[in-house]
Amino acid sequence: MPANLAYLEHLGFLADAAGMSDAYTGRITTYERRIEDLRDIVGDPSEITVSRLDIDADGIWFYPNWGALEQVLSDAGFARPELQTAAIENITGMSVENIAAFDGDIVLISYAPRFGQTIPKLTNGWMSAGNDIWRSLSAAQTGNAFWYERDIWAGYSIKSLNESIMASFF
Protein backbone atom coordinates (compact mmCIF):
# COMPACT_ATOMS: atom_id res chain seq x y z
CA MET A 1 0.00 0.00 0.00
CA PRO A 2 1.34 3.46 -0.83
CA ALA A 3 2.42 5.56 2.16
CA ASN A 4 0.59 8.68 3.36
CA LEU A 5 -2.56 8.43 1.29
CA ALA A 6 -5.23 11.02 1.95
CA TYR A 7 -8.20 9.65 3.88
CA LEU A 8 -10.62 9.05 0.99
CA GLU A 9 -7.80 7.79 -1.25
CA HIS A 10 -6.91 5.31 1.50
CA LEU A 11 -10.50 4.01 1.59
CA GLY A 12 -10.61 3.88 -2.21
CA PHE A 13 -7.35 1.95 -2.33
CA LEU A 14 -8.70 -0.63 0.13
CA ALA A 15 -12.01 -0.90 -1.76
CA ASP A 16 -10.15 -1.46 -5.02
CA ALA A 17 -7.91 -4.09 -3.46
CA ALA A 18 -10.99 -5.88 -2.10
CA GLY A 19 -12.82 -5.68 -5.44
CA MET A 20 -15.45 -3.36 -3.97
CA SER A 21 -14.91 -0.19 -6.03
CA ASP A 22 -18.59 0.04 -7.04
CA ALA A 23 -19.76 -0.19 -3.43
CA TYR A 24 -17.16 2.41 -2.44
CA THR A 25 -18.31 4.81 -5.17
CA GLY A 26 -21.92 4.47 -4.00
CA ARG A 27 -21.02 5.06 -0.37
CA ILE A 28 -18.87 8.09 -1.21
CA THR A 29 -21.75 9.55 -3.23
CA THR A 30 -24.00 9.10 -0.18
CA TYR A 31 -21.30 10.65 2.03
CA GLU A 32 -21.04 13.71 -0.24
CA ARG A 33 -24.84 14.13 -0.14
CA ARG A 34 -24.75 13.98 3.65
CA ILE A 35 -22.01 16.63 3.74
CA GLU A 36 -24.29 18.87 1.65
CA ASP A 37 -27.13 18.20 4.12
CA LEU A 38 -24.82 19.17 6.97
CA ARG A 39 -23.94 22.44 5.22
CA ASP A 40 -27.64 23.15 4.68
CA ILE A 41 -28.34 22.70 8.39
CA VAL A 42 -25.30 24.64 9.61
CA GLY A 43 -25.41 27.48 7.12
CA ASP A 44 -21.91 28.70 6.34
CA PRO A 45 -19.51 26.33 8.14
CA SER A 46 -16.58 28.65 7.41
CA GLU A 47 -18.06 31.04 9.99
CA ILE A 48 -17.73 28.40 12.73
CA THR A 49 -14.29 27.52 14.10
CA VAL A 50 -14.09 23.89 15.16
CA SER A 51 -11.04 22.65 17.04
CA ARG A 52 -10.11 19.02 17.56
CA LEU A 53 -7.55 17.76 20.07
CA ASP A 54 -6.43 14.82 22.13
CA ILE A 55 -5.28 15.05 25.72
CA ASP A 56 -3.21 12.74 27.83
CA ALA A 57 -1.16 12.89 30.99
CA ASP A 58 1.67 14.67 29.18
CA GLY A 59 -0.46 17.40 27.59
CA ILE A 60 -2.25 18.26 24.36
CA TRP A 61 -1.87 16.30 21.16
CA PHE A 62 -3.04 17.08 17.61
CA TYR A 63 -2.60 14.98 14.50
CA PRO A 64 -3.26 16.90 11.26
CA ASN A 65 -5.37 15.18 8.60
CA TRP A 66 -6.09 12.24 10.88
CA GLY A 67 -9.20 10.13 10.59
CA ALA A 68 -12.85 10.45 9.72
CA LEU A 69 -13.68 13.45 11.89
CA GLU A 70 -10.88 15.48 10.32
CA GLN A 71 -12.17 14.53 6.85
CA VAL A 72 -15.73 15.57 7.72
CA LEU A 73 -14.63 18.91 9.20
CA SER A 74 -12.56 19.61 6.11
CA ASP A 75 -15.18 18.51 3.58
CA ALA A 76 -17.93 20.47 5.32
CA GLY A 77 -15.72 23.57 5.27
CA PHE A 78 -15.51 24.44 8.97
CA ALA A 79 -12.90 27.02 9.96
CA ARG A 80 -10.05 25.74 12.12
CA PRO A 81 -7.72 27.43 14.64
CA GLU A 82 -4.53 28.75 13.03
CA LEU A 83 -2.36 26.24 14.90
CA GLN A 84 -4.32 23.38 13.31
CA THR A 85 -4.45 24.77 9.77
CA ALA A 86 -0.70 25.42 9.86
CA ALA A 87 0.23 22.02 11.34
CA ILE A 88 2.01 19.71 8.93
CA GLU A 89 3.46 17.44 11.60
CA ASN A 90 1.97 15.91 14.72
CA ILE A 91 1.84 18.05 17.85
CA THR A 92 2.55 15.95 20.92
CA GLY A 93 2.82 16.75 24.59
CA MET A 94 2.06 20.46 24.29
CA SER A 95 1.72 22.12 27.68
CA VAL A 96 -1.79 22.83 28.99
CA GLU A 97 -0.81 26.49 29.29
CA ASN A 98 -1.02 26.64 25.48
CA ILE A 99 -4.66 25.49 25.33
CA ALA A 100 -5.80 28.91 24.03
CA ALA A 101 -4.21 28.03 20.68
CA PHE A 102 -6.84 25.27 20.39
CA ASP A 103 -9.86 27.45 21.20
CA GLY A 104 -12.75 27.69 18.79
CA ASP A 105 -16.49 28.14 18.72
CA ILE A 106 -16.60 24.38 19.23
CA VAL A 107 -13.85 22.22 20.74
CA LEU A 108 -13.91 18.44 20.24
CA ILE A 109 -11.74 16.46 22.67
CA SER A 110 -11.05 12.78 22.20
CA TYR A 111 -10.73 9.94 24.64
CA ALA A 112 -9.60 6.39 23.88
CA PRO A 113 -10.97 3.58 26.08
CA ARG A 114 -8.44 1.15 24.60
CA PHE A 115 -5.73 3.22 26.33
CA GLY A 116 -7.65 3.26 29.60
CA GLN A 117 -8.92 6.78 28.97
CA THR A 118 -12.37 7.71 30.22
CA ILE A 119 -14.04 11.09 30.30
CA PRO A 120 -14.08 11.20 34.14
CA LYS A 121 -10.42 10.16 34.33
CA LEU A 122 -9.32 12.84 31.87
CA THR A 123 -11.63 15.48 33.34
CA ASN A 124 -10.58 14.85 36.93
CA GLY A 125 -6.89 14.37 36.21
CA TRP A 126 -5.93 16.61 33.34
CA MET A 127 -8.49 19.35 33.46
CA SER A 128 -8.48 19.81 37.22
CA ALA A 129 -4.81 20.83 37.01
CA GLY A 130 -5.64 23.55 34.48
CA ASN A 131 -9.21 24.40 35.40
CA ASP A 132 -8.77 28.17 35.15
CA ILE A 133 -7.02 27.76 31.82
CA TRP A 134 -9.69 25.34 30.58
CA ARG A 135 -12.51 27.66 31.67
CA SER A 136 -10.88 30.52 29.75
CA LEU A 137 -11.75 28.84 26.44
CA SER A 138 -14.76 30.40 24.75
CA ALA A 139 -16.02 26.92 23.79
CA ALA A 140 -15.94 25.85 27.47
CA GLN A 141 -17.69 29.06 28.57
CA THR A 142 -20.51 28.58 26.07
CA GLY A 143 -20.92 24.84 26.69
CA ASN A 144 -19.52 23.95 23.27
CA ALA A 145 -16.70 21.64 24.34
CA PHE A 146 -17.56 18.02 23.58
CA TRP A 147 -15.93 14.61 24.04
CA TYR A 148 -15.71 12.02 21.28
CA GLU A 149 -14.50 8.44 21.26
CA ARG A 150 -11.33 8.49 19.18
CA ASP A 151 -11.56 4.94 17.82
CA ILE A 152 -14.99 5.62 16.32
CA TRP A 153 -14.71 9.19 15.03
CA ALA A 154 -11.09 9.00 13.98
CA GLY A 155 -11.32 5.56 12.40
CA TYR A 156 -10.61 4.77 8.78
CA SER A 157 -13.94 3.49 7.50
CA ILE A 158 -17.17 4.64 5.87
CA LYS A 159 -18.86 3.89 9.21
CA SER A 160 -16.51 6.35 10.94
CA LEU A 161 -17.37 9.00 8.34
CA ASN A 162 -21.09 8.43 8.94
CA GLU A 163 -20.69 8.53 12.73
CA SER A 164 -18.77 11.80 12.47
CA ILE A 165 -21.43 13.37 10.25
CA MET A 166 -24.24 12.23 12.54
CA ALA A 167 -22.49 13.76 15.52
CA SER A 168 -22.13 17.03 13.60
CA PHE A 169 -25.92 17.26 13.23
CA PHE A 170 -26.43 17.44 16.99
Side-chain angles (χ1 to χ4, degrees), residues 59-143:
I60 305 165
W61 294 47
F62 175 74
Y63 301 97
N65 305 313
W66 185 56
L69 180 58
E70 192 70 24
Q71 185 70 45
V72 168
L73 295 174
S74 176
D75 288 346
F78 287 102
R80 305 301 297 279
E82 172 61 29
L83 177 80
Q84 293 178 8
T85 59
I88 55 173
E89 301 220 0
N90 296 341
I91 297 169
T92 58
M94 181 180 275
S95 171
V96 65
E97 287 78 18
N98 295 309
I99 190 79
F102 288 88
D103 201 5
D105 300 309
I106 299 168
V107 175
L108 304 172
I109 312 133
S110 79
Y111 68 100
R114 68 187 161 112
F115 296 132
Q117 295 177 337
T118 64
I119 295 170
K121 181 178 177 182
L122 292 171
T123 302
N124 295 332
W126 187 87
M127 291 182 180
S128 63
N131 255 339
D132 292 336
I133 296 168
W134 176 254
R135 283 192 281 253
S136 72
L137 296 179
S138 59
Q141 292 171 11
T142 59

Side-chain angles (χ1 to χ4, degrees), residues 149-167:
E149 188 173 337
R150 188 179 316 149
D151 290 340
I152 295 173
W153 287 19
Y156 276 82
S157 68
I158 297 292
K159 180 179 178 177
S160 292
L161 287 172
N162 288 329
E163 292 287 333
S164 296
I165 291 172
M166 285 304 297

Side-chain angles (χ1 to χ4, degrees), residues 1-10 64-65 88 90 156:
M1 180 164 91
N4 299 322
L5 288 176
Y7 186 87
L8 295 179
E9 289 178 61
H10 177 88
N65 305 313
I88 55 173
N90 296 341
Y156 276 82

